[in-house]
Amino acid sequence: CSQYRTGGGVDSCAGAGEITEVNTSIPFIDGVTNPEPADGGADGESLTEIAARGPQVLKHRGRAVTIEDFEHLLSEAPGNIARGQCVPATGSIADPNVNIVIVPNVDLPRPYPSPGLIRVVRDYFSRRCFTALTSGNYPRFHVTGPGYISVSTSARVVPLDITKAALVQDRVISALREFFHPLRGGPSR
């Protein structure tokens, strides 16, 4: 099947290979598995979040026309998206294009959306874009993950106790990785 929906929020998404049973018997099917982890789950909203979302919903009415509309609708898109940004592509006014960059909320050094999450977000916007972006043979908006830039550092660290040099080295490397993490890093985390 191309889609499977159930309740439970973000924590209920099954990892790759965790689905192995069929609930009902299907002729000629011996077993099943999910080669990719499940994604697209979302937790319910709080009352504060609903109150903040209300005015935007009245403004865009579920249609993506401006970049601001795209970004607000992206915040409501299905899936476990930690960050996202909509960027107008360079091009002429007669050929409008929008790049939708999403970063999933996963604990990886370089979070990148799965093909399933990209498909879910693309389908979500296909139903909400104005006709000029969805007409023709292909939509003129593109959903993708971030492009990461490699960063290298050089540091000289001298431990106070030489017997703890390996521990200090591990902690420095761990702190640098955490600082440069795309979702948790930076001076203010």
Side-chain angles (χ1 to χ4, degrees), residues 136-183:
N137 294 334
Y138 62 93
R140 290 190 284 175
F141 64 90
H142 182 66
V143 180
T144 187
Y148 290 105
I149 299 170
S150 294
V151 175
S152 63
T153 59
S154 176
R156 176 174 279 185
V157 178
V158 180
L160 297 175
D161 182 354
I162 195 67
T163 62
K164 297 186 178 177
L167 177 64
V168 170
Q169 178 180 348
D170 289 345
R171 286 184 178 171
V172 168
I173 290 171
S174 177
L176 285 170
R177 284 189 178 137
E178 189 69 17
F179 182 81
F180 287 112
H181 191 275
L183 297 177

Side-chain angles (χ1 to χ4, degrees), residues 3 5 61-64 70 73 76-78 119-131 133-134 139 141:
Q3 282 189 340
R5 294 181 180 175
R61 298 184 185 253
R63 303 299 296 169
F70 271 93
L73 285 168
E76 298 178 357
R119 183 178 55 248
V120 165
V121 173
R122 185 179 59 235
D123 292 347
Y124 172 81
F125 276 105
S126 290
R127 294 185 304 272
R128 287 165 178 79
C129 287
F130 69 103
T131 309
L133 288 176
T134 58
F141 64 90

Side-chain angles (χ1 to χ4, degrees), residues 7-184:
V10 173
D11 293 337
S12 67
C13 290
E18 288 183 9
I19 300 172
T20 57
E21 295 180 18
V22 180
N23 288 341
T24 58
S25 177
I26 301 173
F28 308 109
I29 301 294
D30 292 333
V32 297
T33 188
N34 58 317
E36 296 178 13
D39 59 19
D43 294 327
E45 288 181 288
S46 70
L47 289 176
T48 305
E49 291 168 330
I50 292 170
R53 183 173 56 88
Q56 287 295 325
V57 171
L58 291 174
K59 179 187 168 292
H60 63 65
R61 298 184 185 253
R63 303 299 296 169
V65 178
T66 67
I67 291 297
E68 183 183 44
D69 296 340
F70 271 93
E71 289 195 340
H72 191 269
L73 285 168
L74 180 58
S75 71
E76 298 178 357
N80 192 14
I81 301 170
R83 288 192 180 151
Q85 187 168 4
C86 301
V87 182
T90 56
S92 69
I93 294 174
D95 185 27
N97 291 295
V98 176
N99 290 315
I100 303 167
V101 181
I102 56 175
V103 181
N105 191 15
V106 294
D107 193 24
L108 295 172
R110 292 181 173 190
Y112 198 85
S114 68
L117 181 57
I118 290 173
R119 183 178 55 248
V120 165
V121 173
R122 185 179 59 235
D123 292 347
Y124 172 81
F125 276 105
S126 290
R127 294 185 304 272
R128 287 165 178 79
C129 287
F130 69 103
T131 309
L133 288 176
T134 58
S135 62
N137 294 334
Y138 62 93
R140 290 190 284 175
F141 64 90
H142 182 66
V143 180
T144 187
Y148 290 105
I149 299 170
S150 294
V151 175
S152 63
T153 59
S154 176
R156 176 174 279 185
V157 178
V158 180
L160 297 175
D161 182 354
I162 195 67
T163 62
K164 297 186 178 177
L167 177 64
V168 170
Q169 178 180 348
D170 289 345
R171 286 184 178 171
V172 168
I173 290 171
S174 177
L176 285 170
R177 284 189 178 137
E178 189 69 17
F179 182 81
F180 287 112
H181 191 275
L183 297 177
R184 301 183 308 262

